[in-house]
């Protein structure tokens, strides 16, 4: 099932209220976004030039600590849609359970897809997918383990959409222009809290990135995405403070969950995963307080919560949980 978080319209249809009445914790998007700078008129009136896109890519590459070729895309989801075209159709394996668009995109493109439960089970696949850290359980793999895995697969896709707060996990700094068997995906909107901007990157060797750039076309992202991305990736102070705040808020959320009797199953500092015993019943209980959460069709107990922000929202959440 291609179910997702962020489906607040579903909650409103059943439990009422307007969007502004709800605390939407069903996604892993930073609730305190990067402050959008004033944009020039050119961001809206002109197509991004090659120089614009190059400046964005170079600034993001410095933030990622990589010298490998990169291509900007309209969010990590746009990259996921392109991944099946990078290799001849064959046998794909996805380390799961994880973000369901990877397997869905591969199947839609004619790949034979199998979901496996261990990293070693990916070996031998023509194309393998690892989300690191994983969504929803936060499972982590070292860059060394993933680079070793790449030697045993045809093409390894590493989705680092939630890696921004955990820079030590990233494989991107280990890639070069000569890398052949790895493509790393990065998301902008989750960590910077601007998911509606639709910005992400694919990182890898020259051959794969050139192919992706050709498929993406001459204007893969908007002028607004270029200008905001430039400002955000250049702001090391904001990124450092945000990493610390997210860690503190994730710990705070774990404390509320523990007092509610839930068991922490994992997550990242952008979202937490709990076993509530009966996730659907718990989701409905929170929904009566106009707090929306994420449950999963493959687990009776798992519930994922993103972070909230502001004293009033934290107080509402604490009241709902107690």
């Amino acid at each position: 099932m291609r179910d997702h978080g962020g489906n607040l319209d579903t909650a409103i249809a059943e439990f009422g209220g307007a969007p502004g009445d709800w605390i939407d914790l069903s996604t892993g998007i930073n609730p305190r976004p990067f402050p959008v700078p004033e944009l020039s008129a050119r961001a809206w009136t002109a197509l991004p030039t090659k120089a614009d896109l190059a400046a964005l890519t170079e600034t993001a590459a410095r933030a990622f600590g990589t010298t490998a070729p990169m291509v900007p895309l309209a969010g990590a989801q746009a990259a996921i849609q392109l991944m099946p075209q990078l290799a001849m159709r064959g046998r794909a394996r996805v380390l799961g359970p994880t973000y369901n668009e990877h397997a869905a995109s591969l199947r839609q493109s004619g790949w034979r897809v199998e979901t496996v439960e261990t990293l070693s089970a990916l070996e031998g696949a023509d194309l393998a997918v690892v989300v690191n850290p994983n969504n929803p359980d936060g499972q982590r793999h070292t860059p060394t383990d993933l680079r070793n895995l790449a030697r045993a697969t045809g093409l390894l896709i590493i989705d680092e959409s939630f890696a921004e707060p955990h820079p030590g996990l990233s494989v991107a700094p280990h890639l070069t222009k000569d890398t052949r068997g790895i493509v790393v995906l990065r998301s902008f909107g989750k960590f910077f809290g601007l998911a509606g901007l639709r910005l992400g990157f694919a990182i890898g060797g020259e051959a794969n990135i050139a192919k992706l750039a050709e498929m993406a076309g001459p204007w893969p992202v908007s002028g607004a995405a270029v200008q905001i991305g430039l400002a955000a990736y250049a702001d090391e102070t904001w990124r450092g403070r945000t990493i610390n705040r997210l860690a503190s808020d994730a710990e705070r959320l774990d404390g509320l969950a523990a007092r509610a009797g839930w068991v922490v199953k994992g997550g990242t500092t952008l979202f937490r995963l709990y076993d509530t015993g009966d996730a659907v019943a718990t989701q409905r209980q929170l929904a009566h307080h106009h707090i929306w959460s994420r449950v999963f069709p493959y687990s009776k107990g798992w519930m994922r919560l993103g972070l909230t922000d502001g004293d009033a929202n934290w107080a509402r959440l604490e009241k709902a949980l107690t």
Side-chain angles (χ1 to χ4, degrees), residues 5-6 24-31 135 161-162 189-191 268-272 304-307:
D24 186 3
L25 306 183
S26 68
T27 70
I29 298 169
N30 181 358
N135 172 17
S161 288
F162 290 99
K190 297 175 179 64
F191 175 76
T268 71
T269 58
L270 282 165
F271 61 83
R272 309 300 294 157
R304 192 190 71 191
L305 292 182
L307 303 180

Side-chain angles (χ1 to χ4, degrees), residues 76-77 80 83 93-104 106 115-119 122 127-143 146 149 155-164 166 169-171 182-187 190 267-268 270-271 296 298 304:
Q77 182 62 45
I80 291 170
M83 289 303 105
R93 291 176 183 160
V94 178
L95 184 62
T98 193
Y99 181 56
N100 56 37
E101 286 294 331
H102 285 287
L106 287 162
T115 299
V116 300
E117 296 181 353
T118 63
L119 203 65
L122 295 170
L127 185 152
V129 179
V130 178
V131 179
N132 191 46
N134 189 44
N135 172 17
D137 61 7
Q139 185 178 19
R140 292 157 167 78
H141 306 282
T142 68
L146 292 173
L149 172 64
L155 177 63
L156 177 61
I157 308 300
I158 305 172
D159 183 344
E160 295 183 353
S161 288
F162 290 99
E164 200 80 35
H166 313 280
L169 291 179
S170 180
V171 174
I182 301 175
V183 173
V184 168
L185 311 183
R186 295 293 293 245
S187 168
K190 297 175 179 64
T268 71
L270 282 165
F271 61 83
F296 302 91
Y298 50 78
R304 192 190 71 191

Side-chain angles (χ1 to χ4, degrees), residues 48-229:
T49 65
K50 290 181 179 180
D52 293 333
L53 297 173
L56 170 63
T57 301
E58 290 166 8
T59 302
R62 285 194 294 271
F64 299 155
T66 187
T67 60
M70 294 172 37
V71 59
L73 297 163
Q77 182 62 45
I80 291 170
Q81 300 298 128
L82 295 177
M83 289 303 105
Q85 315 306 320
L86 278 182
M88 295 292 291
R89 287 193 298 271
R91 180 176 54 183
R93 291 176 183 160
V94 178
L95 184 62
T98 193
Y99 181 56
N100 56 37
E101 286 294 331
H102 285 287
S105 178
L106 287 162
R107 287 195 182 98
Q108 194 173 45
S109 297
W111 285 79
R112 302 188 305 276
V113 182
E114 178 186 4
T115 299
V116 300
E117 296 181 353
T118 63
L119 203 65
S120 61
L122 295 170
E123 295 178 4
D126 300 307
L127 185 152
V129 179
V130 178
V131 179
N132 191 46
N134 189 44
N135 172 17
D137 61 7
Q139 185 178 19
R140 292 157 167 78
H141 306 282
T142 68
T144 298
D145 287 345
L146 292 173
R147 291 165 68 199
N148 288 338
L149 172 64
R151 299 187 182 99
T153 61
L155 177 63
L156 177 61
I157 308 300
I158 305 172
D159 183 344
E160 295 183 353
S161 288
F162 290 99
E164 200 80 35
H166 313 280
L169 291 179
S170 180
V171 174
H174 304 277
L175 304 185
T176 71
K177 64 182 179 62
D178 298 318
T179 298
R180 291 185 177 274
I182 301 175
V183 173
V184 168
L185 311 183
R186 295 293 293 245
S187 168
F188 174 85
K190 297 175 179 64
F191 175 76
F192 289 99
L194 298 169
L197 193 65
R198 309 312 304 137
L199 177 61
F201 296 87
I203 311 167
E206 281 183 332
N208 282 327
I209 297 305
K211 187 182 295 187
L212 288 170
E214 184 69 19
M215 288 190 284
W219 306 290
V221 297
S222 69
V226 170
Q227 292 192 12
I228 294 171

Side-chain angles (χ1 to χ4, degrees), residues 25-44:
L25 306 183
S26 68
T27 70
I29 298 169
N30 181 358
R32 193 184 300 179
F34 179 79
V36 175
E38 183 175 351
L39 302 183
S40 70
R42 185 173 173 275
W44 306 110

